[in-house]
Amino acid sequence: MIDWNAGKGWLTAGGKRLEWACWGNRDAGPVIVLLHEGLGCLALWRDFPEKLAQATGLGVFAFSRANYGQSEAGDLPFPIDYMTRQAQDVLPGVLDQIGAAHYVLMGHSDGATIAAEYAGRVEDFRVRGIVLMAPHVFTEPMGLAEIRRAAEAFGPEMAARMGKYHRDPEASFRGWNDAWLNPEFAAWDVSEVIDYLRVPALVIQGVDDQYGTMKQVAEFESRSYAPVDVLALEDCRHSPHFDQPEAVLDAVRFFTARLMAHAAAQPEGV
């Protein structure tokens, strides 16, 4: 188990050494576990985790997946189902080592997909809810076009910027970009996991998101057995927590408070 009081450190999950950090009180309620985007990492959450801990009064935990941030190098190329593998093969070990009684999984982009896949594929009664920012469960042509533009823009200047946060920026970029631009990825679709969700979800989507549309959100609304709250944000692109931080913090605060109130109202042992 990690030493929460240390505030940061290293853990091993999925056979890789991963960096982590935490904020707030682990015992205040469900710990919010942040899952970063396809080019994200622990450091690129910036001050959002601290603000989230303050807004909700809960413990917040974040880590860098293999190949990102300062975590150990990942295996390249990424397979088409790399997000499913993260959900099934890596995240269980991370949650076990945090050692909390309950969790809320909060992901952004790829991280949101991993959170949804975990909730839909892994039976873990510690997970009480999921918060999905800009999730994708199938590909869209406009998103793939944006990823192609990123591939064209990647060069020494972009690598240098990414190098401030990732120890191997080219590997971080190629792992994500090459997987999405694999011709087979055009048919990628994991929307079936929504049919198996049994915990409430808060889905947050910028209406100006350059990678995905409200069709992704509609899929959750139409298919989830469990309740789905939707926050559609104007003047917001792919990163709601940076484009509209106060709206996101307010929504997550309300969502987690409801989860805790519901849990408190249940008979002991439920």
Side-chain angles (χ1 to χ4, degrees):
M1 186 181 298
I2 67 164
D3 179 4
W4 186 274
N5 291 326
K8 61 182 179 179
W10 299 88
L11 59 81
T12 299
K16 301 293 184 181
R17 190 168 182 259
L18 311 177
E19 61 173 348
W20 64 267
C22 64
W23 298 260
N25 182 357
R26 176 172 55 187
D27 301 319
V31 168
I32 301 174
V33 178
L34 294 175
L35 304 168
H36 64 73
E37 63 175 316
L39 291 181
C41 65
L42 173 59
L44 282 169
W45 286 107
R46 305 185 191 279
D47 63 351
F48 180 75
E50 183 177 5
K51 290 181 177 179
L52 184 62
Q54 292 172 350
T56 62
L58 299 174
V60 175
F61 181 93
F63 69 101
S64 296
R65 297 191 294 275
N67 222 52
Y68 295 100
Q70 304 309 307
S71 289
E72 187 176 351
D75 300 323
L76 297 177
F78 283 5
I80 298 299
D81 63 345
Y82 72 93
M83 287 175 275
T84 302
R85 296 191 189 196
Q86 284 289 324
Q88 295 182 314
D89 301 337
V90 180
L91 189 52
V94 173
L95 299 184
D96 288 346
Q97 291 178 69
I98 298 172
H102 299 112
Y103 296 102
V104 171
L105 304 180
M106 181 172 180
H108 173 221
S109 192
D110 277 14
T113 304
I114 293 168
E117 292 222 56
Y118 189 87
R121 296 185 189 276
V122 180
E123 186 176 72
D124 187 345
F125 296 110
R126 296 173 298 179
V127 175
R128 293 301 176 91
I130 53 177
V131 179
L132 311 176
M133 298 190 295
H136 36 253
V137 289
F138 50 84
T139 58
E140 296 185 79
M142 49 84 77
L144 292 175
E146 192 70 22
I147 291 168
R148 289 189 193 95
R149 282 191 284 273
E152 294 167 359
F154 185 77
E157 184 176 337
M158 184 175 177
R161 291 197 303 270
M162 290 180 60
K164 297 176 182 178
Y165 305 100
H166 304 283
R167 66 176 184 175
D168 188 342
E170 179 150 359
S172 299
F173 183 84
R174 294 300 177 196
W176 164 78
N177 195 262
D178 289 356
W180 276 82
L181 295 185
N182 184 322
E184 296 181 9
F185 204 88
W188 175 82
D189 187 326
V190 295
S191 59
E192 78 276 3
V193 300
I194 301 172
D195 301 336
Y196 299 97
L197 295 180
R198 293 297 183 268
V199 294
L202 169 61
V203 183
I204 303 173
Q205 180 73 27
V207 298
D208 303 314
D209 192 329
Q210 66 271 38
Y211 288 100
T213 70
M214 293 298 292
K215 292 179 181 178
Q216 305 284 341
V217 178
E219 200 78 6
F220 283 90
E221 290 182 294
S222 65
R223 296 180 66 161
S224 178
Y225 174 87
V228 175
D229 293 340
V230 172
L231 177 62
L233 294 171
E234 301 285 346
D235 298 319
C236 179
R237 285 166 58 84
H238 191 58
S239 299
H241 55 304
F242 293 141
D243 291 352
Q244 297 285 354
E246 294 307 318
V248 170
L249 291 171
D250 286 346
V252 178
R253 176 171 54 234
F254 182 69
F255 180 74
T256 54
R258 279 195 312 167
L259 290 178
M260 294 173 68
H262 177 74
Q266 298 301 305
E268 189 172 348
V270 174

